Amino acid sequence: MNHYKELTVQGFWKNNPAVVQLLGLCPLLAVTGTVVNGLGLGLATTLVLLGSNITVSLVRNFVPNEIRIPIFVMVIATFVTMVELIMHAFTFELYLALGIFIPLIVTNCAIIGRAEAYASKNPVHFAAFDGLAMGLGFTMILVVLGGMRELLGFGTLFDGAELLLGEWATSLRIEVYTTDANFLLAILPPGAFLGMGLLIAAKNIIDDVIEKRAQQSQQKVVQRARVTGTDL
Amino acid sequence: MTEIFLLLLGTVLVNNFVLVQFLGLCPFMGVSGKLETAMGMSMATTFVLTVASMSSYLVETYVLVPLGIEYLRTLSFILVIAVVVQFTEMVVRKTSPSLYRLLGIFLPLITTNCAVLGVALLNTTKQHNFVESIIYGFGAAVGFSFVLILFSAMRERLAAADVPAPFKGASIAMITAGLMSLAFMGFTGLIK
Amino acid sequence: MMQYAGKNGLILAGFALVTTVLIAITFYATKDKIEAAKEKQLLSVLNELVPEQQHDNELHTDCIVVPADPLLGNKTQRIFRVRQAGENTGVIIETTAPDGYSGNIDLVVAVDRQQTVLGARVIAHKETPGLGDKIDLRVSDWILSFAGVKYSPETEERWQVKKDGGQFDQFTGATITPRAVVAAVKNAVIYAQQQNQTLFEQASNCGAPSDFVEDNDESL
Amino acid sequence: MKMFADYDQIMERISLQNLWDFPGGVHPTQKKSLSNQTDIQRIDLPSVVHIPVKQHIGVNGELIVKEGDTVKKGQPLTTSENSFAVPVHASTSGTVVAISDHVAAHPSGLSELTVTIECDGKDSEYEYTPMSDYAQRSKGEIIQAICAAGISGMGGAGFPTHLKANNVKPIEFLIINGIECEPYITSDDRLMREHAWQIRQGIDILCHLLQPKQVLIAIEDNKPEAFETMSIACQQEDNYHVVKVPTKYPAGGEKQLIQVLTSREVPSDGLPVDIGCLMYNVGTCYAIADAVIEGKPLIERVVTITGEAVDAPQNVWARIGTPIKHLLAQAQYHSEKQSYPRIIMGGPMMGFTLSSVQIPVVKITNCILVPAAKELPLVEDERACIRCSACADACPASLLPQQMFWHSKAKEYEKAQEYNLFDCIECGACAYVCPSEIPLVHYYRKAKADIRQQQLEKEKSEKARVRFEARKDRLQREKEAREEKHRLAAEARKQSLNKDGGAAKDKIAAALARAKAKKAKQQAQLKDKPSSDE
Amino acid sequence: MTLTLIAILVVVLIALVFGALLGFASIRFKVESDPLVEQIDNLLPQTQCGQCGYPGCRPYAEAIANGDEINKCPPGGEATIKDLSELMGVEAKPLDAAHGVEDVKKVAFIREAECIGCTKCIQACPVDAILGAAKQMHTVIIDECTGCDLCVDPCPVDCIDMVPLHDSSENWQWNFKQVSVGDIPLRQL
Amino acid sequence: MSKLSVGSSPHHHNQRDTGAVMRLVMYACIPGILMQTWFFGVGVLIQIALCMVTAVVTEALIVELRKKNTERVIKDSSAALAGLLLGISIPPLAPWWIAVIGSFFAIALVKQVYGGLGFNMFNPAMAAYIMLLISFPVQMTAWLPPVSLTEQSFTFIDALNTVFTGFTTDGYSIEQLRVGYDGLSMATPLDHLKTQLIEGYTVGEALSSPIMSGNWGLGWTPVALAYLAGGLLLLKLRVINWHIPVSMIGAAMATSFVLFAADSSVYGSPAFHLINGSLIVGAFFIATDPVSAATTNRGRLIFGAAIGFWIIVIRTWGNYPDAVAFAVVLMNMAVPLIDYYTRPRTYGHKAKTSSIHNNEEP
Ligand SMILES: Cc1cc2nc3c(=O)[nH]c(=O)nc-3n(C[C@@H](O)[C@H](O)[C@H](O)COP(=O)(O)O)c2cc1C
Ligand SMILES: Cc1cc2nc3c(=O)[nH]c(=O)nc-3n(C[C@H](O)[C@H](O)[C@H](O)COP(=O)(O)O)c2cc1C
Ligand SMILES: Cc1cc2nc3c(=O)[nH]c(=O)nc-3n(C[C@H](O)[C@H](O)[C@H](O)COP(=O)(O)O)c2cc1C
Ligand SMILES: Cc1cc2nc3c(=O)[nH]c(=O)nc-3n(C[C@H](O)[C@H](O)[C@H](O)CO)c2cc1C
Ligand code: SF4
Ligand code: SF4
Ligand code: SF4
Ligand code: SF4
Ligand code: FES
């Protein structure tokens, strides 16, 4: 159980793929114009990550080293194509909005990164949970960044939720403020980078506070090792 | 000729892969700490992107389209790319250790650079012909290299800057990329 | 050595087999649904311009490709025909305004046979966010002001932006974009008038329907 | 390398007074008139002199006196076995009261081995062996005399003069440096005005040794009197040329002066002789004449005492080893005129602050500067570099000071070296102009010291590795040898046991069990307290 | 449907060829282990002090190559961390205080009068920097001593001190705060 | 004797410190600002004041937050100068929050995140200007016609009212104010040329409109000349070096000449480009920002020339009519690389300095 908790903390915070490992940045920055786009892509990514982690973990013992990467990407590509087809069929507008970034989940570095770093070394239940935690951690950042940009750029939140969740979700849309001069920077490419930079800085500040608290409680000392004197 | 030039200029500057199209960001952030590494990465990426757009064009026109299996596009492209990259890596590693030191360690990273798959896919959506595909791939790579090298030179300078603690590292790099992207907005419209 | 290579080949092939089969299955399972979704998308734009009750043909298939014409932005375009009760009531024309502030603006314009605009929509454009992009229905409903406006040589005067003495609003700080759109819509109407009957006589030749979204990557 | 002006070209331009220039440079206020109005004064002897054993670049000489000895003025205190050692001499007569560490004339204020002599006031002289017929002597003899007189460069670097003079490469230009580009300092100026003739004799000796094609005596154009006297002193010699050099700091730097006169550049890993030049300070020439013609060692030199915190700025003949305090008293120093008491040895651009008034005058001491409160104001803390590159524009070596500063500050020494940190001559022009008041030179010095330290440590760690590995090998060998011995012993025992028959077997089992238990115990001990075993 | 089958077959075939190619290449172009450990070891100070938690510098070098933190070597201090971070392409971070702090350079000094000649320090010194034989007094060769202080603990009579190396005007690091006589540095640096 | 103080040489220092340099630049702006106020109204001064105040306050807050010596930092006047330069590039009657957001962005996100004065890689004022332009194009392109062309004359109070409420005291909106002579709305000459060309007019026709008198953009030209005077003063006082202004203007002239020679009906003449827009201000006050410009002499030549080139390219084909800001910030990116490859030959070294990066420049 403890291990699951650790994986969750890793995925959402300590080793968050987006803000710590800096992986999967392309979709992260490209599709976070709105919360809903972010959420959509985040969920798709999570799905793929879950699937690929499970599969990779299952087959990890049969895969020779030199064809490891081709096999992993093939596995990922399969999940992505399936997700893509499904989204194409059921959430068509969202599919259009996310554009080329759905097939590009294949090369989302976060996914292959987890396959290599975790799934290929750990049993399947952990791998699955890791995939889930990492995926949701990633989604969390997508949503937060999407929220920031949507709020500043359009003054709304959850605009277009119906694309993802069906007609009922139209009512989720929140109009926070209206002006005739939207802060366009937020939705343009530079805004994505700047927003992400600020997000990372915010995380660093929080970490700093946490660490300061933790520091008071514990102080570790490392046992020194000796080179000499043992085998004479 | 002018068309080719405009296509090249367009991919390098106006629709820069990294700063405008958001492709290939992870290596952009990851290997830009040092100018030397960035140059290695640039060369490796240029090579792979060009080869990838070429081979994916071939796969698309001679396998996928005739058989009507465009839905296997992602799978087959990525397979081709991964294999090409890995093969190149092995060969380079064996045949030229010095080149490997320069490029080799970046090659595996490139498989998972979404610019590579992105180029292949965009080539098909934009219906580029063989030559255009190659130019597009090459242009994308040049654009990538261009900003990567500029960025890494800036980051080297940043190393000595008195950046406030929370902004150190990835954060300031992102902000710098944001300001670069801001500047690249100046190119919008150059190619209508 | 050879058998080692062979083993790798087999493993990779095995994976390829499984993965392709999986994809193929998904593909066939979702195929119809995707087709339907695509159709629906196209239809929804067309139907917005010409509501369901004003036609009884399959708009998205009753379509011809016409050669490039200066009035339609010098590009080959598609034209969808609107028929009701066996009568040809109008056309929906794809057109391009070549003189936007930042390049081409792609539109669809629905015109009835009395040269009255039924409606217009911008499909793709690169105009400046915050300035020229008000032609987009998602940003402002300016484009709706075309609905019901009739063109005739006598009303030519009014087919301009207000600044130039016409009836269409310009935007604060951006006149070029609306000018371009107004001109493009006007030209589409003129084109429909000129070609009038010929548009309805040809057989459909559009092939499989595709959606309107182009250059998705560039309008990110 | 840049095109090399050849001899004729250079001479043509010099005769037309159409010199070259060096890049950069600055024009700080001169303030030379404070101290150059009066003759060089003779002053009272101090009560003690502190003579550091090493006052030059190189190694210590061998001490030949001990505490309690009485010495005479000019008596050598050390000898030089090594050619990089330069002897030092008692600068007056008296008793050696201590041979111990004494605060040295060094910016660090650290102590160095020093001979302290209590003066008896008699100033009785040691026997000198003059060599007025030097023209008939062999070069070796003359060089030996220069070395024995303890002469090291008096222009600032303190390089042993006999080494420079012992040259085999052909010399086109012997350059005599009378530039004295540092503000405030006037010791060379006064020396040239008053002792041009003796300087000329020193130059003659150097010419005899080096056979240069041409002697260039370079004097800045802010010293017309010195120019006049030197011109007169040198007028008989065809190949002596007194050259007026435009005033610009640091025109007196060896490399810069060579560039101004000849347009040649000393290669960064080379020496002036590589491009046919050799340079001596005028003070050095004066000392050479003393040493060769009269056999008199270097025991005194001209020192400028100046600054607005002294009432009587002047030049004095100061004995080597004279405590600064003595000189300050001579010039009527008032510490209350300074907001921070501050004494600078050398000029305002390159001199260093002294941490004690007991620091002695040494062979390179050309000036003691005591500025008043507002004269050379202390700068506040540095601000951030605004990259204005005023520093680069001022740098005579065409370096990029701001880049070297960034990298030095960030301790990126490799990059700092890539920007040629070690070509910096520490002239201070960059820091002088920097609007952000960054003590740039200080950063370079720190960086250079750090780099040297790191190189030493690198060498040391390499040595440590070798020794560690050697030790491991040795231990391994010993262990193998021991095991072999044990095996042999065991075999021998076994054989003898076999002879004994079955009864012994129990014994062996018991012994084995004991050994095992002991080993286990040992291991347990080792785990919690790793230490060597018996 | 047959088309689909053909398609799948083609992809499988491609994969087969590629897999074989890679398998072949992996053998044909095999290379030996990487020289990284060597490079890391070269950067470590070789004091063999074990403060990093590994028995000696080389084991730590191996650990770094396998992904251990680079900030565990106190004798190397900031400079070593910087070099390592450059070699490994990671961010430099401050020394992990759990392993100790960067100290001034010291060497061991044996108070010879107290030394009983037990040779324990000789056995403990990783670089053989101590001279002496059984029952005789021992001395440290200052030039060889790395200052690892491994010899201090084993000494049964506690006659070994670690003494800081003196600054001389030759290796002075331009640190005005060390100047004994002076007052406030003009510029706080 | 009391204890002696010690320190590193040189002990001598010349007296112009950073603050003095910055203030000199501000003084040199004064003729230009006065001229601008004369032609475009007191709004100019209001914007400058707003920007300077916001910039200084932002800087003070951040420095305070970082627990540094606030007074010293503010005294270096660099924030005030950045604010001033942003202020002169904002349309005079733009709403107050434009100036506030812009200055905050300049100081907080372009300057202080990098560690403050000296560390920023981009020109704060220009980066902020671009940010404003792409975020609020309507407000940022709302330039007023020169005073002589407007029908309404307005006072200081009017200007203040417009900036803070959007309307003059008489209730005119900025839109109405912009409608000048002949009922035509007024853009800057460059914007005007650009839009006219899109509409299919030739350069000649575009230049015949009231905002132009021949090549001379009304109002804009005297302003440019006034800044030129200030710039020359800076040059004379050796606050800036000649390299950047000369190479920048030279390259812009050369590029526009080539285009003009090729087809004078669609490309503006070199003279037109020189005296319109902010080329001159840019060349003397903006591209010369020491912090974000190249630092070697050869580097400065390259830096300036590239800016000049991009200005003409972006003015001619880009979407943004006034390209100085973009060109400057674009080249700011290249500065570290330029500096690296244009190191001067050090005394005593071979022509090509040794380099561990032996790859050629991309
Ligand atoms: C950054 C920028 C973006 C612009 N984008 C547009 C645009 O998208 N559409 C447009 O018509 N004009 C655009 N313009 C040009 C208008 O500002 C131009 O001045 C205006 O169209 C002229 O019309 P007016 O008569 O309304 O002043 C842009 C100008 C700038 C500076
Ligand atoms: C390490 C070192 C070695 C030198 N070797 C020689 C030499 O062999 N011959 C020589 O004529 N000068 C030699 N010099 C002297 C220099 O050329 C130069 O004259 C001296 O350093 C004083 O220069 P400065 O005061 O301008 O710095 C040497 C100097 C140094 C520092
Ligand atoms: C920046 C700088 C300025 C110097 N200025 C002078 C000077 O004005 N007069 C002088 O004799 N030596 C000056 N030197 C020292 C000379 O470089 C050189 O060491 C000396 O002339 C060699 O003669 P010496 O060996 O007799 O001392 C200066 C050195 C440096 C680095
Ligand atoms: C000659 C000169 C030009 C300057 N130009 C600018 C400028 O264009 N934009 C700006 O923000 N600051 C400018 N500054 C001020 C200052 O250098 C700037 O705020 C720094 O970039 C902040 O780190 C200038 C300063 C000087 C001395
Ligand atoms: S003079 Fe000072 S502020 Fe200017 S570049 Fe040099 S170090 Fe930086
Ligand atoms: S101290 Fe060094 S860097 Fe500074 S001006 Fe002198 S030579 Fe150049
Ligand atoms: S702490 Fe450093 S010196 Fe000590 S053993 Fe470890 S690596 Fe070697
Ligand atoms: S003498 Fe002591 S401190 Fe020195 S190296 Fe040997 S064990 Fe280490
Ligand atoms: S997600 Fe695009 S490169 Fe990592």
Side-chain angles (χ1 to χ4, degrees), chain D residues 285-307:
Chain D
C285 297
Y286 179 92
I288 289 174
D290 256 356
V292 175
I293 298 173
E294 298 182 29
K296 199 170 136 194
L298 177 56
I299 50 169
E300 62 178 357
R301 66 158 296 148
V302 185
V303 176
T304 308
I305 314 165
T306 184

Side-chain angles (χ1 to χ4, degrees), chain C residues 27-159:
Chain C
F27 176 72
Y28 283 108
T30 54
K31 194 173 175 208
D32 299 336
K33 192 89 181 147
I34 291 175
E35 296 285 311
K38 277 188 179 168
E39 252 166 48
K40 200 170 129 219
Q41 152 81 9
L42 179 56
L43 267 176
S44 75
V45 174
L46 298 179
N47 280 341
E48 248 179 64
L49 296 175
V50 184
E52 207 78 65
Q53 55 274 21
Q54 290 179 19
H55 67 88
D56 54 11
N57 60 336
E58 289 280 330
L59 283 183
H60 61 283
T61 49
D62 196 352
C63 152
I64 56 171
V65 175
V66 294
D69 187 296
L71 287 175
L72 299 185
N74 263 332
K75 277 167 71 177
T76 52
Q77 306 278 20
R78 288 182 300 179
I79 290 180
F80 306 92
R81 292 162 298 190
V82 186
R83 310 180 206 253
Q84 189 159 35
E87 240 183 275
N88 303 326
T89 53
V91 283
I92 303 177
I93 303 175
E94 276 186 348
T95 180
T96 299
D99 45 4
Y101 187 79
S102 327
N104 292 343
I105 304 171
D106 292 332
L107 305 133
V108 282
V109 182
V111 195
D112 71 8
R113 304 207 68 185
Q114 288 76 45
Q115 278 72 253
T116 305
V117 179
L118 296 172
R121 289 294 179 276
V122 171
I123 300 297
H125 74 88
K126 296 180 197 145
E127 299 307 280
T128 318
L131 275 179
D133 68 345
K134 298 198 178 75
I135 50 174
D136 197 329
L137 190 56
R138 278 174 295 191
V139 177
S140 91
D141 48 13
W142 177 82
I143 195 84
L144 297 181
S145 61
F146 284 101
V149 184
K150 185 175 157 66
Y151 173 82
S152 63
E154 304 84 66
T155 60
E156 172 96 44
E157 278 289 282
R158 296 165 55 201
W159 279 84

Side-chain angles (χ1 to χ4, degrees), chain E residues 40 121 152 161 186:
Chain E
I40 299 173
C121 56
V152 174
D161 289 328
L186 294 193

Side-chain angles (χ1 to χ4, degrees), chain D residues 24-73:
Chain D
V26 292
H27 297 275
T29 39
Q30 294 282 326
K31 301 260 184 132
K32 295 214 184 229
S33 54
L34 274 182
S35 57
N36 71 358
Q37 305 300 326
T38 52
D39 288 351
I40 307 172
Q41 308 289 313
R42 286 275 162 201
I43 56 170
D44 299 339
L45 285 174
S47 53
V48 286
V49 289
H50 303 284
I51 298 174
V53 166
K54 196 185 127 204
Q55 303 180 22
H56 60 275
I57 296 177
V59 295
N60 283 359
E62 197 80 13
L63 269 171
I64 50 172
V65 292
K66 48 187 192 307
E67 279 179 31
D69 286 1
T70 48
V71 290
K72 291 202 163 157
K73 170 182 168 189

Side-chain angles (χ1 to χ4, degrees), chain D residues 255 265 268 341 348 351 353 380-381 383-385 387 389 397 402 418-420 423 431-432 434-436 442 445, chain F residues 2-3 5-9 11-14 17-18 72 117-118 290 295 300 339-340 343 345-349 356:
Chain D
K255 294 173 170 183
E265 290 183 15
S268 80
T353 49
E380 290 177 67
D381 275 356
R383 295 163 198 254
C385 163
R387 302 172 58 82
S389 71
Q402 80 274 34
E418 225 183 285
Y419 282 96
N420 301 325
D423 284 295
Y432 172 77
C434 175
S436 296
H442 185 78
R445 294 187 176 125
Chain F
S2 56
K3 280 192 166 184
S5 39
V6 292
S8 211
S9 72
H11 311 284
H12 204 4
H13 197 274
N14 83 350
D17 69 5
T18 313
R72 260 180 78 77
L117 178 65
T295 53
R300 287 188 183 123
D339 276 354
Y340 188 85
R343 285 177 291 171
R345 185 184 64 82
T346 305
Y347 179 101
H349 281 257
I356 53 164

Side-chain angles (χ1 to χ4, degrees), chain E residues 107-108 121 124-127 129-130 140 144-151 162:
Chain E
V107 288
C121 56
C125 177
V127 293
I130 303 180
V140 174
E144 311 287 357
C145 173
T146 63
C148 67
D149 86 7
L150 286 171
C151 53
M162 297 305 296

Side-chain angles (χ1 to χ4, degrees), chain F residues 243-259 270 273 279 301-313:
Chain F
H243 305 78
I244 291 178
V246 168
S247 63
M248 179 167 154
I249 294 178
M253 293 302 93
T255 316
S256 57
F257 179 77
V258 169
L259 294 177
H273 280 290
L279 182 63
L301 289 175
I302 297 174
F303 178 76
I307 292 179
F309 171 77
W310 282 124
I311 288 177
I312 301 299
V313 169

